[in-house]
Amino acid sequence: MRKVYLDNAATTPLLPEVRESMLPFLDELSGNPSSLHDWGDSAREAVAEARARVARLIGAGAEEIIFTSCGTESNNLAVKGLALARQNKGRHLVASAIEHFSVLHSARTLEKMGFELSLVPVDSSGMVDPDDVRQSLRPDTVLVSIMHGSNEVGTVQPIKEIARITREHKVPLHTDAVATAGNIPVDVGELGMDALSLAGNQFYGPQGAAALWVRPGVRLIPQFDGGVQEGGRRSGTENVAAIVGLGKAAELASDNMTVRMGHLSRLRDRLLDELPRRIDHTVVTGDTTSRLPGNASFCIEFIEGESILMMLNSKGVAASSGSACTSRALKASHVLIAMGITHELAQGSIVFSLGVDNSPEDVGYVLEVLPPIVDRLRQMSPLYARFIKGSKGGKNARLQ
Amino acid sequence: MRKVYLDNAATTPLLPEVRESMLPFLDELSGNPSSLHDWGDSAREAVAEARARVARLIGAGAEEIIFTSCGTESNNLAVKGLALARQNKGRHLVASAIEHFSVLHSARTLEKMGFELSLVPVDSSGMVDPDDVRQSLRPDTVLVSIMHGSNEVGTVQPIKEIARITREHKVPLHTDAVATAGNIPVDVGELGMDALSLAGNQFYGPQGAAALWVRPGVRLIPQFDGGVQEGGRRSGTENVAAIVGLGKAAELASDNMTVRMGHLSRLRDRLLDELPRRIDHTVVTGDTTSRLPGNASFCIEFIEGESILMMLNSKGVAASSGSACTSRALKASHVLIAMGITHELAQGSIVFSLGVDNSPEDVGYVLEVLPPIVDRLRQMSPLYARFIKGSKGGKNARLQ
């Protein structure tokens, strides 16, 4: 059976070059970068090279990169570390309603400590209006956190406009760029945010290595206390092999971004165009123009996303419904709900996230196997039966 | 030139079997364990198997293991997570004076939030007296954190006796077992603590995978907010390859512990016996009986540990002076100072930490190259010149 992995938003495969770059640090002894001997020196030099590569990917200075273990850690460090460093100035936070839970729940934890959180809404395409960010600012606002791109609906936010507003008001802006960094151009100088999270396993690097970039001069309270690593801002023995892999992935992303984006967006557009034509009562979610090149997301009416995933899996296809982090919770996505999609329709969420390994044949295969799956599931769906009955009775029983 | 790695306390080399276990999760696609498809299933099953292996290493239940990214994270999660979960009962903490900075500095961060920290002293061998722990307990004590073994001086604490006291007083006991788990028998049932930190890169597993064990029923406030991983207690996409490696390392440690301990303690005892005989004015640090099998630590008078390290490195030998985490800070070790060693003598700290790959020839080589290094450094030492002058004048000018 054909195996088609279309869940790159959950985790991307390791590119062979990335794997090769990591093996010396697994084959031989990978020293501790803090040690004062040759083994330590090799590890330290490898980490320094990776730091420079990650910095180059986002147009930053190497010393501004803090290595962490995952995107969730980067987001926790950013939200808590930046807010707590400023709590003497105020305790008001702003975030969009569609942030990843590592941002939203970090803000919720701060709420328990006396902070207040204002959520900025999104429109039906999942887009934040920069004016809404401006409206939400108060004299005691100490942090704004708006994601760059959504892994779930693909929408890429107008971060440059938002950053212009936060800069005017001298409020630091954190951007969760876990879905975008390494996949579309991200230049911290041009975009103008003050802190940015990225993760290796979103652009063909390893799990276990991620980063937080913080603009020089912006204060951050470390969340791990202990040693002296990462300039004291993130203690703990470095995962040298994974950091090296992240660096290599960053270099490959810098070098190949345009080609990759062209490849992915061609595959994506075919899915976005053809799937709603082959399956009725199917809507594309997210913005159709300002969109991640690898994201093709839909809501299919009258059925549940999880059932589609199971049946796609039995055909060798991996996809997701909402984000991987919440997929086992089987709840309607907070992102889709914030976009004004009904709970019923949100249940039918399906996200195909394409990767550089995917081919036109992969997309053709999905376009071929998915319609009969949907047909079969709808035959078993009480919602669909009700709809058909309603239609026959001449009423418009469509859910949305 | 012979290469002799005697800095296993900083990070151990990967065993070939551990590396082999990890490669499939780097060679093929390592899925996201949260995903609902075959790739996710494979990753999830691999993580579950690793969890069972780590649990077996310490006599715990698999569901009680929380995977983290490093020992520092485990210690931060334990100290902050356990203390914050109990702050309505009191805000008093107890730790030994020789804890790793990831424990001590976490406690210092809690102090800034209104907690109080009492430090339990150690004797000249680095040993905590359980009675001192008892004396330090107050009605508002909500956490005791005492390490199991010191990577720096080798002393293994009477955790069982300490746990008996904390249990009597119904105060949770966290034990930093980063230096001991995987190296000497650790059974949480027998020892009786309530939480325990361990790290893969201390027993031939990879960097980037560690764990916190928490006794069922003991509350813990998560330090990463976000997804649903690790039962909600540690959000973030799992580093599947590293976790698998940690599991394999745990299995190998369980199976080979007695043989390894015999091998290491023979090498250790030869260093502990012969080095002070070959180099005058050299003292063994740490307890000589309750001691990590791989630790041979000394203070060599009249010279600086860092100078010894540089010259040993030029002879192909890797060792450390104090802990790796602080080695670049060039400060006198807080562990040695707490043991009553003078600042002058503490400067001459040198730690050899043996690993399973070391041979009797490695130890013979160190015993051969170190004495001339010390001689040469002492020729350049003003302290030594003063001492010699004092001796010639008939006075006892020895520093300690």
Side-chain angles (χ1 to χ4, degrees):
Chain A
M1 189 171 59
R2 192 177 186 92
K3 299 292 265 180
V4 179
Y5 186 76
L6 294 175
D7 196 12
N8 288 276
T11 199
T12 47
L14 266 191
L15 284 179
E17 299 93 320
V18 173
R19 185 166 55 242
E20 286 308 310
S21 75
M22 295 172 67
L23 289 180
F25 297 90
L26 298 172
D27 269 351
E28 299 155 27
L29 172 63
S30 170
N32 183 324
S34 295
S35 297
L36 296 169
H37 47 62
D38 289 352
W39 287 266
D41 290 344
S42 310
R44 195 160 50 252
E45 283 158 21
V47 169
E49 189 183 8
R51 199 184 301 281
R53 287 171 168 177
V54 171
R56 184 165 79 91
L57 177 69
I58 58 169
E63 69 291 348
E64 300 155 24
I65 301 292
I66 304 169
F67 285 123
T68 69
S69 66
C70 57
T72 286
E73 184 185 342
S74 294
N75 282 340
N76 273 261
L77 174 57
V79 173
K80 296 173 187 170
L82 292 168
L84 291 172
R86 268 160 208 80
Q87 58 178 321
N88 59 335
K89 292 182 185 164
R91 298 187 141 211
H92 179 241
L93 312 169
V94 172
S96 88
I98 64 163
E99 295 301 306
H100 187 263
F101 281 148
S102 52
V103 167
L104 286 180
H105 292 180
S106 289
R108 295 294 179 205
T109 291
L110 290 171
E111 277 190 310
K112 286 180 205 152
M113 297 167 67
F115 283 79
E116 247 184 286
L117 171 64
S118 296
L119 288 183
V120 175
V122 293
D123 67 15
S124 62
S125 73
M127 194 71 80
V128 169
D129 182 341
D131 261 342
D132 285 337
V133 175
R134 188 194 304 275
Q135 300 294 331
S136 71
L137 295 177
R138 306 191 323 204
D140 61 339
T141 307
V142 289
L143 178 65
V144 174
S145 188
I146 307 284
M147 63 163 44
H148 193 198
S150 166
N151 249 339
E152 204 172 322
V153 297
T155 305
V156 175
Q157 304 297 336
I159 285 296
K160 197 171 167 174
E161 287 67 44
I162 293 168
R164 198 174 294 136
I165 292 165
T166 56
R167 259 208 315 276
E168 262 172 38
H169 289 79
K170 298 193 169 46
V171 177
L173 171 66
H174 165 250
T175 297
D176 170 4
V178 165
T180 55
N183 290 306
I184 63 172
V186 172
D187 184 293
V188 296
E190 203 204 311
L191 291 174
M193 70 284 280
D194 302 285
L196 176 144
S197 305
L198 61 85
N201 77 322
Q202 296 290 309
F203 53 96
Y204 317 102
Q207 296 168 337
L212 177 67
W213 166 79
V214 182
R215 188 176 291 286
V218 174
R219 277 193 63 225
L220 180 82
I221 302 281
Q223 298 300 296
F224 286 4
D225 300 306
V228 295
Q229 294 92 349
E230 301 300 307
R233 293 180 296 178
R234 201 280 189 182
S235 301
T237 300
E238 298 88 341
N239 184 346
V240 178
I243 287 172
V244 166
L246 169 61
K248 187 67 188 176
E251 185 188 48
L252 292 167
S254 301
D255 294 349
N256 303 310
M257 193 163 289
T258 314
V259 176
R260 285 185 189 173
M261 287 175 68
H263 172 68
L264 292 180
S265 56
R266 274 188 297 278
L267 300 180
R268 173 198 68 188
D269 289 346
R270 192 166 155 217
L271 276 170
L272 292 178
D273 287 350
E274 292 199 22
L275 210 73
R277 287 201 272 126
R278 296 196 188 198
I279 305 172
D280 57 5
H281 304 300
T282 294
V283 294
V284 170
T285 55
D287 199 81
T288 44
T289 53
S290 181
R291 189 177 189 103
L292 288 174
N295 175 284
S297 58
F298 308 89
C299 283
I300 302 181
E301 282 189 77
F302 313 119
I303 46 178
E304 292 204 335
E306 281 74 24
S307 311
I308 307 176
L309 292 189
M310 302 296 174
M311 293 188 67
L312 276 176
N313 184 51
S314 72
K315 296 285 182 190
V317 179
S320 78
S321 175
S323 81
C325 304
T326 52
S327 62
R328 304 194 72 77
L330 303 180
K331 278 196 225 159
S333 152
H334 72 289
V335 175
L336 299 177
I337 299 302
M339 289 161 64
I341 291 173
T342 63
H343 273 80
E344 279 100 339
L345 186 56
Q347 294 295 339
S349 154
I350 179 105
V351 182
F352 298 106
S353 42
L354 297 145
V356 292
D357 287 343
N358 290 127
S359 65
E361 289 71 32
D362 289 343
V363 169
Y365 181 70
V366 169
L367 287 170
E368 182 194 315
V369 299
L370 188 53
I373 287 176
V374 170
D375 278 349
R376 221 175 115 192
L377 288 171
R378 281 182 176 164
Q379 297 312 321
M380 301 185 284
S381 157
L383 277 176
Y384 191 67
R386 201 149 25 103
F387 163 74
I388 292 292
K389 211 176 146 195
S391 296
K392 282 188 184 149
K395 276 186 282 181
N396 183 0
R398 216 174 148 192
L399 290 171
Q400 205 199 20
Chain B
M1 189 172 59
R2 193 178 186 92
K3 299 292 264 179
V4 179
Y5 186 76
L6 294 175
D7 196 14
N8 288 276
T11 199
T12 48
L14 267 190
L15 284 179
E17 299 94 318
V18 173
R19 185 164 57 241
E20 286 308 310
S21 75
M22 295 171 69
L23 289 180
F25 297 90
L26 298 172
D27 270 349
E28 301 156 25
L29 172 64
S30 170
N32 184 324
S34 296
S35 297
L36 296 168
H37 47 62
D38 289 351
W39 287 266
D41 290 345
S42 310
R44 195 159 51 249
E45 282 159 21
V47 169
E49 189 182 9
R51 199 184 299 281
R53 287 171 168 177
V54 171
R56 182 165 79 91
L57 176 69
I58 58 168
E63 70 291 348
E64 299 155 24
I65 301 292
I66 304 169
F67 285 124
T68 69
S69 65
C70 57
T72 286
E73 184 185 343
S74 294
N75 282 340
N76 272 261
L77 175 56
V79 173
K80 296 172 187 170
L82 292 168
L84 291 172
R86 268 161 208 80
Q87 58 178 321
N88 59 335
K89 293 182 185 163
R91 297 187 142 212
H92 179 241
L93 312 170
V94 173
S96 88
I98 64 163
E99 295 301 306
H100 187 263
F101 281 148
S102 52
V103 167
L104 286 181
H105 293 179
S106 289
R108 295 293 179 206
T109 291
L110 290 171
E111 277 190 309
K112 286 180 205 152
M113 298 166 68
F115 282 79
E116 246 184 286
L117 170 65
S118 297
L119 288 183
V120 175
V122 293
D123 67 15
S124 62
S125 73
M127 193 71 79
V128 170
D129 181 341
D131 261 341
D132 285 337
V133 175
R134 188 195 304 275
Q135 301 293 333
S136 72
L137 296 176
R138 305 190 324 204
D140 61 340
T141 307
V142 289
L143 178 65
V144 174
S145 187
I146 308 283
M147 63 162 44
H148 193 198
S150 166
N151 250 339
E152 205 173 322
V153 296
T155 306
V156 176
Q157 304 297 336
I159 286 297
K160 197 171 168 177
E161 287 67 43
I162 293 168
R164 200 174 293 137
I165 292 165
T166 56
R167 259 207 315 277
E168 262 172 38
H169 290 79
K170 297 192 170 47
V171 178
L173 171 67
H174 165 250
T175 297
D176 170 3
V178 165
T180 54
N183 290 306
I184 63 172
V186 172
D187 185 292
V188 296
E190 203 204 311
L191 291 174
M193 71 283 281
D194 302 286
L196 176 144
S197 304
L198 62 86
N201 78 323
Q202 296 291 309
F203 53 96
Y204 317 102
Q207 297 167 338
L212 178 67
W213 166 79
V214 181
R215 189 176 290 286
V218 174
R219 278 192 63 223
L220 180 82
I221 303 281
Q223 297 300 296
F224 287 5
D225 300 305
V228 296
Q229 294 91 349
E230 302 300 306
R233 293 180 296 178
R234 201 280 188 181
S235 301
T237 300
E238 297 88 341
N239 184 347
V240 177
I243 287 172
V244 165
L246 169 61
K248 187 67 189 175
E251 186 188 46
L252 292 167
S254 301
D255 294 349
N256 303 311
M257 193 163 289
T258 314
V259 176
R260 285 185 188 172
M261 287 175 68
H263 173 67
L264 292 180
S265 54
R266 273 188 298 276
L267 300 180
R268 173 199 67 189
D269 289 345
R270 193 168 152 215
L271 276 170
L272 293 178
D273 287 348
E274 293 199 22
L275 211 72
R277 286 201 273 129
R278 296 196 187 197
I279 305 173
D280 56 5
H281 305 298
T282 296
V283 294
V284 171
T285 54
D287 198 82
T288 45
T289 52
S290 181
R291 188 177 189 103
L292 288 174
N295 176 283
S297 59
F298 308 89
C299 283
I300 302 181
E301 281 189 77
F302 312 119
I303 47 179
E304 292 204 336
E306 281 74 25
S307 312
I308 308 177
L309 292 189
M310 302 297 174
M311 294 189 66
L312 276 175
N313 184 50
S314 72
K315 296 284 181 190
V317 179
S320 79
S321 176
S323 81
C325 304
T326 54
S327 62
R328 302 193 74 77
L330 303 181
K331 278 197 226 158
S333 151
H334 71 290
V335 175
L336 299 178
I337 299 302
M339 289 161 64
I341 291 173
T342 63
H343 274 78
E344 279 101 339
L345 187 56
Q347 295 294 339
S349 153
I350 180 105
V351 182
F352 298 105
S353 42
L354 298 145
V356 292
D357 287 344
N358 290 127
S359 65
E361 289 71 32
D362 289 343
V363 169
Y365 182 70
V366 170
L367 287 170
E368 183 194 313
V369 300
L370 188 55
I373 287 176
V374 170
D375 277 350
R376 219 174 117 193
L377 287 172
R378 281 183 175 163
Q379 296 311 322
M380 301 186 283
S381 159
L383 277 175
Y384 190 66
R386 202 153 19 107
F387 163 73
I388 291 293
K389 209 176 148 196
S391 294
K392 282 190 184 147
K395 274 186 282 181
N396 183 1
R398 217 177 145 190
L399 291 170
Q400 205 200 19

